[in-house]
Structure formats: C-alpha cells, structure tokens
Amino acid sequence: MRELTYVARNTVEWREAPDPVLGSGREAIVAPVAATSCDVDSSILAGHGFLDPPFALGHECVARVVEVGDTLTTVAPGDLVVVPWSISCGTCDQCRAGLTAHCASVPYMAMYGAPIGGSWGGLFSELVRVPYADAMLVPLPSGLDPVAMASASDNWSLAWRLVAPHLKMRPGARVLVIARGSIGLYVCDIARALGAGDILYVDPDPAHRALAETYGARTAEAIEPIRHGFDLAVEATGRVDQLALAVKSLAPEGFCESAGNHFRPGELPLLDMYLTGVTLRIARDNVRAHIPDALALASSGTVDPARVVSHVLDWEDLPSALPERHLKPVFVRDLTTR
Ligand SMILES: [Zn+2]
Ligand SMILES: [Zn+2]
C-alpha cells in the first residue's frame, strides 16, 4: 500500500509500505475515505515541527472498516468510523480515567501521523491498523457527512472540549478566541451554538475572520489586552505572545484553554495571572473520551463544521495539494459505496 510521507519542508510523497495485517482479535484494518490535515500538520509541513522526516503524515480521518479481528463487537466491515488521533487501549487505569492520550498499554505519546511512541503510520495511508478497535473507533452517526466530520479525530472534537464544558458551567460566558486555523473557527461555531454571550475572534487572516463572522463572532485582526474582558479565552496559535494576550484579557478567575503546539519556549505574565486568578490548561487532548459528545453536537444540526472545509480534493491529489492548502482540505476516495 501507499502512505503519504513527509520527506522535507513543504514536500510530501507517496511511499510504499507493507499492507498492515491483524495482529490480534482486538484489531481492525481500516481504509481512510475522508482525511484532512490537523492545524499542526501545517506547522510540520512548514518545517516548524520538532521531528525529523521522513514519516507518514495524517491523524484526522473518517475511515471505512475493511477487516476486523474475531473478538471485536462494536464495528464490522463496511462501517464508517472516526479514527482518534492517539492510540489508546480503553482498559488501563489511564484510559478508564478518560486520559486516553496517556494510555499505559502503549509507548508514551503513541499516535498516528508522527513517529513518537512507536510507529503507527499516518491517516493519509491507504490502510491503517487500529490496535484496540473496540476502544478506539467511534461509528459515524448516520446523517453526518464524512467530509464535514473528517476532523472529528482531533480538531473538531478538541474544539468541543475547549469550549463546551465551560459554557455548561458558565452559561452566556464571554469567549475570546485567538487562533490561526480550523480549531478557532470550530470553537466559534460551537460557542455560538452553546449560548456564548459574546465571541471575539482574533486572526490576521481575513478569510478566517469572514468565516468566524458567519458563526456570529465579532472579529479583529489583532488586539491589545482587553482587561477583564472575557470569562474564557481559547488560544490556538502556537505563539507565546498570543497566549499571554489571552490570559491578560481574562476576567477574575477566568479560564484559558491553549490548544498547544508551542514548539518554542517563552514567558507568560505570571504576576498578572496571579492577581487576576487565571486557570490555564495546556494539554494534549484526550480526544477519544469526548468524540461521542462532539459528534452528538454535530448531529443536533445546531452547528455547521462543513463551512470550515476549505477544499474537497481527490485522494490522488494529496502530494501536490496538501502543502498548498492550509485551512481544512479534505481528501476523499471511495465515498460513494455507503
Ligand atoms: Zn492534531
Ligand atoms: Zn490504555
């Protein structure tokens, strides 16, 4: 089979790899049918990552189940499923506590699309082995479009976690979103659907701002800190100065969620944060735990993640198109047989 391989800055190519085979009755082989790039893939392609090429890229897709081990109970060949970005067993203490990005049954940080915590391949591959298929795979609810939900593996479900639990605790909260890619736009969509009182979206990209406005957000190209302006701030830029701006704009005892990907160190205004009373969470997302909730919101019809999909492209165009398409290109194949 072929797997899309990151080989150098702004360069990906198909490389041959052995077809994956079932290693136990708990495993499944799936074929991605709608795969997209995570916001971090753009950073990797631009050469800002911390891992040396070559490696198989991709960790967001809806896939079709091709083959299942004989003890699987939740999925069958032909099913469309969301494949989480991280590998998790579902039964260790960490997984049972919902910390699925910290599974103790696999090497630390085991994931698709990056050679850390073992070698699991990428989701821009023709076939993918899923080692704990009952625990990992989430059937795509009928009625949901695989193209719109290709990002449920990571960015869509992450965006749900960044904002939904906070709005449940604080209905009508004022939300600041400082972002550069799909995560911030998904946050705007979800925040509006769940009743945020005010959403300010900050991003230098005019096309992103125009999209955010369709979700009911006010927008700005850049801002100075807005003292005590927001109950929740979401930062998804990978830039420490923007994270500092987010925490400086919080109301007393406000919460800042950072989507991370800070590849460089930096300083935060700790005294300012202390005086305001700031809770900052910067964490790899335990995505498997809340993919079902994020899909349920998508099924409710109150959100429209399809608007963030910037291009729908043929799978064969991956090597040429992926390095050039930066918001949310979705690459599709074999989607018609559902
Ligand atoms: Zn990601
Ligand atoms: Zn586990």
Side-chain angles (χ1 to χ4, degrees):
M1 68 147 184
R2 296 177 307 169
E3 55 185 20
L4 191 78
T5 307
Y6 169 58
V7 293
R9 189 169 172 272
N10 279 327
T11 310
V12 288
E13 64 184 32
W14 293 122
R15 288 202 176 170
E16 278 297 321
D19 284 4
V21 292
L22 293 176
S24 82
R26 293 181 300 180
E27 301 192 353
I29 306 296
V30 303
V33 291
T36 189
S37 49
C38 169
D39 289 357
V40 77
D41 290 333
S42 298
S43 299
I44 291 171
L45 283 164
H48 299 149
F50 59 93
L51 298 161
D52 291 330
F55 57 87
L57 200 62
H59 59 261
E60 297 198 347
C61 82
V62 167
R64 191 182 307 281
V65 177
V66 173
E67 195 183 351
V68 296
D70 51 19
T71 63
L72 282 203
T73 59
T74 59
V75 295
D79 290 355
L80 285 181
V81 290
V82 174
V83 184
W85 67 269
S86 74
I87 310 294
S88 62
C89 74
T91 54
C92 72
D93 287 349
Q94 299 279 56
C95 283
R96 278 185 294 157
L99 308 181
T100 55
H102 304 268
C103 176
S105 296
V106 287
Y108 199 58
M109 304 219 299
M111 65 177 288
Y112 293 115
I116 43 182
S119 201
W120 305 92
L123 299 185
F124 291 128
S125 298
E126 288 173 339
L127 294 170
V128 176
R129 182 172 74 94
V130 181
Y132 306 98
D134 274 337
M136 289 175 63
L137 297 176
V138 182
L140 186 71
S142 64
L144 283 183
D145 173 13
V147 171
M149 301 320 299
S151 190
S153 301
D154 184 0
N155 291 171
W156 165 259
S157 303
L158 163 66
W160 182 92
R161 195 270 289 166
L162 293 173
V163 67
H166 297 289
L167 284 168
K168 195 169 184 184
M169 300 272 292
R170 290 187 186 190
R174 299 163 295 168
V175 181
L176 172 64
V177 185
I178 305 178
R180 294 290 184 270
S182 74
I183 296 168
L185 295 168
Y186 290 144
V187 165
C188 290
D189 187 10
I190 295 167
R192 176 197 43 79
L194 299 181
D198 178 32
I199 308 168
L200 176 61
Y201 177 82
V202 181
D203 185 332
D205 188 310
H208 296 177
R209 293 200 303 276
L211 255 174
E213 284 165 13
T214 73
Y215 291 131
R218 297 184 294 125
T219 64
E221 188 175 347
I223 58 167
E224 293 297 316
I226 300 171
R227 184 172 154 77
H228 293 180
F230 298 90
D231 307 298
L232 171 67
V234 175
E235 178 274 328
T237 67
R239 292 179 45 166
V240 178
D241 63 333
Q242 299 302 295
L243 179 55
L245 175 63
V247 295
K248 280 178 164 173
S249 299
L250 283 173
E253 297 297 334
F255 206 108
C256 179
E257 292 274 11
S258 171
N261 298 319
H262 286 272
F263 294 128
R264 275 166 277 178
E267 288 184 12
L268 288 176
L270 296 177
L271 178 61
D272 209 285
M273 292 166 70
Y274 166 80
L275 294 172
T276 303
V278 165
T279 304
L280 168 62
R281 180 195 282 155
I282 174 164
R284 292 187 304 126
D285 192 33
N286 297 296
V287 75
R288 176 59 185 86
H290 44 260
I291 286 174
D293 289 327
L295 290 176
L297 178 64
S299 291
S300 74
T302 58
V303 290
D304 187 9
R307 249 179 259 172
V308 178
V309 173
S310 54
H311 312 79
V312 181
L313 298 163
D314 189 85
W315 188 263
E316 294 301 322
D317 294 335
L318 264 165
S320 58
L322 186 67
E324 296 170 6
R325 309 288 188 191
H326 291 306
L327 182 57
K328 214 67 183 171
V330 180
F331 295 86
V332 301
R333 62 171 182 158
D334 299 340
L335 259 182
T336 49
T337 51
R338 188 178 195 184

